[in-house]
Amino acid sequence: MAANVALLGDAPFLILQLLLDGLMIGAIFAVAAYGMALVWGVMNVINVVQGELVMLGGFIAYQLTLWGLSPLWGVPVAAIVLYFVGAGLHHVVIRRVADRDMFISLLATFGLSILLQQLMNQIWGGDVKTAQSGLGTWFLLDYTVTVSQMKVAAFGGAIAIGAVLIIFLKRSRLGQAIRATAQNPRAARILGIDTNRVFAATYGINAALCGAAGALVVMAYSVHPYIGLPYTVRSFMIVIVAGLGNLPGVIVAGLGLGAAENFAGFILGVQYQVAFVFCLLVVILVIRSTLLQRRRQFLK
Amino acid sequence: MSGHRQPLLMLAVAAVGVALPFVIPDYRAQIAMLWALVIMAQTWDITGGQTGYNSFGNILFFGVGMYASVVVQRDVGLDFFPGLVLGMVVGAGIAAALAVLLGSMILRMRGHYFAIATLGLGIAAGEIAGGWDYLGAGSGLSPPLFPAPPGTANLFFAYLYFGVAALVFVALAALYRTRFGLALNAIRDNEDKAEAMGLHTGVYKVTAWTMAAFVLGLVGGAMGNMLGFVDPRDTAFAGATFGVWMVLMAILGGKGTLWGPVLGAVIFHITQELLWTHLLGWQRVALGVIIVGIVVFFPQGILGWARTRWPARHEHQGHGSERA
Amino acid sequence: MSAQLTIEGATKRFGGITANEDISLEVPEGRIVGLIGPNGSGKSTLFNSVVGYHPVDGGSIRFEGREITRLRTAEIARLGLIRTFQQTHVFVQMTGLQNMAISDAEAGHGLFQLMRPVSAETRERAEALLAFCGLYGKRHLMAGELSFGQRKLLELAMALMVRPRMLLLDEPTAGINPTLINGVIERLQRANREFGVTLFVIEHNMRVIMSLAEHIHCLAHGRLLASGPPEALRNDRRVIDAYLGAR
């Protein structure tokens, strides 16, 4: 571990490499986190199945390659498919738990997460899957720093997805209804907004975001039925640190988390990278709750 | 379940527990697992049902107990039974110490933040164990073999877990009759008020979680030997199976009741074993459906439902000291 | 007469809003003291500061000669300074008797003191106090099944179960059926007389506070506006103006 830290000191280009890789995946974390914040803010549900929706998007893009299509098609296709998956999940499960005690919705979405894991495991098997986009690699600074073109494309894609979403929320009627409902569901209902439809659309849009992000993940990185939960936890952490409805905060926290994770993976060893994510979650929660405790408040 | 029928019911269950391994000797492994699941649900309910602190990470203590016990048996060099006992005790002790340490930090969070923090702890533990060579890293550990034929081993574990389950049940029945039990319920109902009345809520919460951790450490401590292998993510820190099942079983039977977790565990385990044989390959998917189904459509649980169905039965037994 | 509770220069801000500014007052032992003021004048904030729900930003609070400014809610409660809530706070999924049993400070709040069943003494005292509050017949009902007024009475009984030195009551008659209000007043007076509990009462109902309190403090805009016996305050121009909204 100390040797790895020393190595970083000796080879500054490694720092640049880790930082670049971290920032590029951080953008994808930010997209998933923004979706989680949307669902959390609008319907008061912490969506534990978030990461599995990302994985499902990745598997759909992977499936397209099996059918001979370019995985790039996976981004729109996964978004569309996931929108309907999300709306369906909302209809069957989420709408029944959204207005209850938050523990019930947590447990229900956790159950969905286990269900989707098993379903994906059954359909696509328990191996790590990637989809070849056909893009190459750039070499910078005399071949000391490598930049995967696909990761850059994924970074750009994540930013584009985020931009589309924000324009949609600001400009479209549905987007305005979503924002109104987030601010005050009762007032929205009085104004004649069908909040149940808004909830379904919100959940669907969140799923679509996850799907598109997942298609980027399968091309730039990899997917596996059981590695969804870390994505959920990353989203959750980003939202906690940034706060609900704070877009710049989500972006900064997402990029920061991506970078932190890459450095931690390098220093602690890559086998502890996921452990780092979950430990960081606990540490962040403990710090926040201790700070609140000073003011006689609680994290709740 | 009114007061005077409780002992009869307990006797009946005890008789079943004693007879079962000989009535259906082919199912001894499942019987042992049944009692282990009963204990998991009972201990989850101490904080989840009685105190209102819903943990998704109690599997942490189970897994810590399992690893600690197998490491003790590997490194201390005792015979099987002394080694197992020492391992279980050490495992339970470490689990309890962890609960004190972590609990004093995260039990200050309320509601879903506590739930998510515990979820993080459970998974982090599995990931750490999966990377740590001393614990066999990803391939896990092999506990010493039971020094007798497998049928005897399962008989032993069936009675071991039945004994622990019975002890835990009796202990909890007594605990929930004390003012400590009332203090936990008070925290569940209104923690601000409990503090305003001068209760040491933090101490009680940590104590409750530590009790659960100690027993789960014991259960985990023998589970490695029973299953014959310790795997970081599939047996020890198995959040997607034991970890969520213990929550689910308590909810299914009825959170915050003495019998609910027992009932929930029995029904859940039997259902699951039936699924196992009929849905080859898809049983985990079906389990996911069951989890979601119970949470969405039956969150009040069997005893919770019975209580609203027949409220009269509970009206005259609230003696401050005597509860279902 | 000696001051049991002394508030000196208490100031509390929430963001940019000053809810309490430089409030100094005393509550003498064994008396019934009222705290009045229009909505938003900072009465509940002052109560919350006293019981440690949130610390003050400036000033000090002493209870029976002891500095309690920085203590936490539960520590202050253990000194015998108990508050009740405007919106009743009881343990809804516990019976009336159970609510009382866990409130018994004499039986102890230590871990080992809690590890035994409810004693006969606790039970007798609980039943007597429930009878005092007219809830004996409802003692086996879940607190959540009681009416709002009954829950308020249960909360009073729970507070008395602690054998408090002083009670801070936040609008004890608000939301109670007017025909029951006299019963509440009478019980508060008896609690003061028979159990020797000092009462510090926030009340909006002028008829109630005038007949209950021996001395009244009036807040307006977060400041102490006037203090005095009920008759004096009733005719105080500043108090009348504050209630009518004039400045």
Side-chain angles (χ1 to χ4, degrees):
Chain A
M1 204 169 108
N4 289 340
V5 178
L7 193 58
L8 278 181
D10 292 342
F13 61 85
L14 259 178
I15 296 179
L16 183 64
Q17 177 80 61
L18 290 170
L19 192 64
L20 273 178
D21 281 341
L23 294 180
M24 285 188 290
I25 194 157
I28 294 179
F29 296 165
V31 170
Y34 196 68
M36 178 178 267
L38 195 63
V39 168
W40 193 343
V42 174
M43 29 206 316
N44 198 28
V45 168
I46 297 177
N47 190 37
V48 183
V49 70
Q50 194 81 349
E52 278 69 28
L53 296 175
V54 174
M55 291 299 116
L56 185 57
F59 277 116
I60 287 170
Y62 168 78
Q63 187 65 40
L64 293 183
T65 64
L66 294 186
W67 290 335
L69 291 166
S70 161
L72 288 172
W73 283 105
V75 179
V77 171
I80 292 166
V81 172
L82 262 290
Y83 178 86
F84 289 104
V85 170
L89 286 180
H90 176 265
H91 186 75
V92 179
V93 175
I94 308 296
R95 77 186 164 98
R96 298 174 206 272
V97 296
D99 51 353
R100 295 219 211 122
D101 177 20
M102 206 182 228
F103 169 65
I104 294 290
S105 61
L106 264 182
L107 189 54
T109 51
F110 189 39
L112 281 179
S113 128
I114 291 171
L115 176 59
L116 273 189
Q117 283 172 23
Q118 300 302 338
L119 214 52
M120 291 187 290
N121 188 37
Q122 205 62 26
I123 297 172
W124 287 288
D127 297 321
V128 171
K129 296 282 193 289
T130 56
Q132 295 305 323
S133 57
L135 295 178
T137 307
W138 285 314
F139 298 95
L140 307 179
L141 303 175
D142 213 14
Y143 286 85
T144 51
V145 174
T146 59
V147 179
S148 147
Q149 290 170 7
M150 187 55 231
K151 287 186 186 174
V152 176
F155 180 78
I159 289 173
I161 291 167
V164 168
L165 177 74
I166 287 150
I167 293 169
F168 168 79
L169 286 179
K170 287 245 159 85
R171 297 289 163 77
S172 73
R173 267 193 79 75
L174 180 58
Q176 286 167 350
I178 289 175
R179 290 194 301 147
T181 309
Q183 276 176 20
N184 190 337
R186 271 185 63 195
R189 226 168 285 142
I190 291 165
L191 290 173
I193 294 174
D194 180 351
T195 49
N196 195 41
R197 255 195 60 216
V198 167
F199 287 163
T202 306
Y203 200 82
I205 288 165
N206 168 49
L209 274 180
C210 291
L216 297 175
V217 169
V218 77
M219 288 186 279
Y221 309 91
S222 59
V223 296
H224 182 278
Y226 295 164
I227 61 168
L229 207 49
Y231 281 87
T232 301
V233 166
R234 287 168 184 135
S235 302
F236 180 78
M237 274 194 277
I238 292 168
V239 176
I240 297 245
V241 171
L244 289 175
N246 172 5
L247 181 68
V250 166
I251 294 171
V252 171
L255 298 181
L257 176 63
E261 229 180 79
N262 257 285
F263 280 101
F266 181 80
I267 292 168
L268 302 171
V270 79
Q271 73 272 28
Y272 288 123
Q273 188 163 334
V274 176
F276 170 78
V277 174
F278 286 94
C279 290
L280 187 64
L281 164 78
V282 178
V283 169
I284 286 176
L285 285 174
V286 168
I287 290 174
R288 285 224 42 189
S289 113
T290 309
L291 291 178
L292 282 174
Q293 190 89 11
R294 292 243 175 95
R295 286 186 275 147
R296 313 274 167 95
Q297 286 167 352
F298 307 96
L299 203 47
K300 64 177 175 185
Chain B
M1 247 148 289
S2 54
H4 49 275
R5 276 191 302 154
Q6 192 110 310
L8 274 180
L9 194 56
M10 282 166 68
L11 271 180
V13 173
V16 170
V18 172
L20 214 50
F22 288 101
V23 177
I24 40 171
D26 293 346
Y27 294 94
R28 280 171 185 171
Q30 286 88 337
I31 293 166
M33 186 56 84
L34 169 71
W35 296 119
L37 290 175
V38 166
I39 305 166
M40 290 183 200
Q42 283 176 321
T43 52
W44 182 85
D45 201 55
I46 302 174
T47 54
Q50 299 286 344
T51 322
Y53 274 74
N54 299 297
S55 164
F56 281 138
N58 279 10
I59 190 71
L60 169 72
F61 306 123
F62 174 82
V64 164
M66 190 185 275
Y67 268 105
S69 169
V70 174
V71 167
V72 165
Q73 293 176 60
R74 180 188 70 187
D75 295 350
V76 173
L78 289 169
D79 286 342
F80 182 84
F81 287 105
L84 178 63
V85 170
L86 182 66
M88 287 172 71
V89 171
V90 170
I94 295 178
L98 263 180
V100 173
L101 186 75
L102 296 170
S104 56
M105 291 192 283
I106 69 170
L107 278 164
R108 288 186 296 189
M109 301 167 202
R110 302 243 173 128
H112 47 274
Y113 286 96
F114 171 76
I116 288 174
T118 54
L119 178 68
L121 283 175
I123 296 171
E127 292 294 327
I128 291 169
W132 194 354
D133 288 329
Y134 178 67
L135 301 179
S139 44
L141 296 172
S142 297
L145 286 175
F146 193 85
T152 328
N154 288 332
L155 185 67
F156 170 76
F157 287 114
Y159 278 127
L160 176 69
Y161 281 130
F162 169 68
V164 176
L167 275 177
V168 169
F169 185 91
V170 172
L172 288 182
L175 187 76
Y176 295 155
R177 266 198 295 273
T178 65
R179 285 174 72 239
F180 182 74
L182 293 181
L184 298 185
N185 293 166
I187 292 170
R188 174 194 65 197
D189 283 3
N190 192 332
E191 191 165 353
D192 285 336
K193 177 66 175 176
E195 278 183 2
M197 298 307 282
L199 297 181
H200 300 267
T201 53
V203 177
Y204 311 156
K205 287 187 285 185
V206 173
T207 306
W209 210 34
T210 304
M211 289 173 175
F214 183 86
V215 176
L216 277 174
L218 278 183
V219 173
M223 188 61 81
N225 298 76
M226 182 177 128
L227 295 175
F229 68 104
V230 177
D231 177 276
R233 296 175 193 88
D234 286 345
T235 58
F237 302 103
T241 53
F242 299 135
V244 69
W245 292 353
M246 52 178 107
V247 187
L248 200 74
M249 294 181 299
I251 289 179
L252 174 63
K255 273 172 76 169
T257 62
L258 189 56
W259 283 98
V262 181
L263 190 62
V266 171
I267 293 175
F268 181 83
H269 188 56
I270 292 173
T271 314
Q272 179 209 9
E273 287 297 323
L274 293 178
L275 282 180
W276 219 250
T277 45
H278 291 289
L279 289 166
L280 272 175
W282 290 85
Q283 68 279 74
R284 290 283 180 90
V285 179
L287 273 175
V289 175
I290 291 177
I291 293 174
V292 177
I294 290 173
V295 176
V296 173
F297 295 104
F298 202 54
Q300 78 274 41
I302 295 167
L303 292 188
W305 171 80
R307 192 168 279 186
T308 43
R309 183 80 174 67
W310 297 287
R313 294 195 175 191
H314 293 267
E315 220 146 85
H316 300 293
Q317 53 104 17
H319 287 273
S321 59
E322 192 184 292
R323 289 129 34 81
Chain C
M1 87 190 164
S2 64
Q4 194 176 15
L5 177 71
T6 310
I7 302 171
E8 267 177 20
T11 300
K12 180 69 196 172
R13 294 182 206 92
F14 294 106
I17 299 158
T18 304
N20 284 159
E21 191 167 4
D22 196 23
I23 293 179
S24 298
L25 55 82
E26 290 185 346
V27 179
E29 185 163 359
R31 299 298 186 80
I32 303 181
V33 174
L35 184 64
I36 62 169
N39 280 326
S41 58
K43 305 183 297 292
S44 289
T45 302
L46 187 64
F47 265 31
N48 284 334
S49 297
V50 171
V51 298
Y53 202 67
H54 45 53
V56 287
D57 296 313
S60 84
I61 299 162
R62 283 195 309 279
F63 179 67
E64 303 196 325
R66 197 181 154 164
E67 184 71 34
I68 60 166
T69 319
R70 296 276 135 202
L71 294 187
R72 283 166 188 277
T73 315
E75 293 166 329
I76 292 171
R78 289 194 283 273
L79 296 176
L81 178 55
I82 300 286
R83 65 91 56 94
T84 66
F85 293 83
Q86 188 179 342
Q87 297 302 318
T88 61
H89 281 205
V90 293
F91 306 121
V92 289
Q93 291 185 65
M94 294 163 63
T95 66
L97 263 182
Q98 290 174 336
N99 270 274
M100 295 297 283
I102 197 57
S103 305
D104 186 1
E106 251 169 26
H109 290 151
L111 203 49
F112 293 101
Q113 293 167 310
L114 283 177
M115 291 291 178
R116 54 182 74 129
V118 177
S119 68
E121 295 94 300
T122 297
R123 199 180 157 124
E124 272 166 31
R125 218 154 67 75
E127 286 177 345
L129 280 171
L130 283 171
F132 174 80
C133 288
L135 290 171
Y136 184 78
K138 311 257 179 198
R139 67 193 185 285
H140 293 313
L141 277 188
M142 292 286 167
E145 294 169 36
L146 299 175
S147 72
F148 183 78
Q150 288 166 341
R151 265 182 278 165
K152 276 209 129 139
L153 285 166
L154 175 60
E155 203 181 2
L156 174 65
M158 287 161 71
L160 291 174
M161 193 73 189
V162 179
R163 284 201 204 278
R165 308 276 303 129
M166 178 186 287
L167 279 184
L168 267 57
L169 303 161
D170 198 343
E171 301 207 24
T173 65
I176 291 196
N177 184 334
T179 57
L180 297 175
I181 285 183
N182 282 340
V184 174
I185 295 176
E186 187 218 350
R187 288 196 175 93
L188 291 177
Q189 283 169 331
R190 277 182 58 196
N192 172 250
R193 217 169 41 235
E194 294 171 21
F195 306 128
V197 184
T198 313
L199 302 182
F200 189 22
V201 188
I202 292 180
E203 189 50 73
H204 255 136
N205 186 327
M206 281 303 142
R207 185 180 68 76
V208 170
I209 200 70
M210 292 297 163
S211 63
L212 187 64
E214 304 154 42
H215 194 88
I216 296 176
H217 299 285
C218 177
L219 299 187
H221 302 290
R223 290 166 175 277
L224 186 63
L225 185 71
S227 300
E231 317 78 58
L233 253 74
R234 202 202 307 263
N235 301 315
D236 191 310
R237 192 70 228 164
R238 294 169 302 172
V239 173
I240 295 166
D241 283 348
Y243 269 89
L244 293 177
R247 291 205 66 163

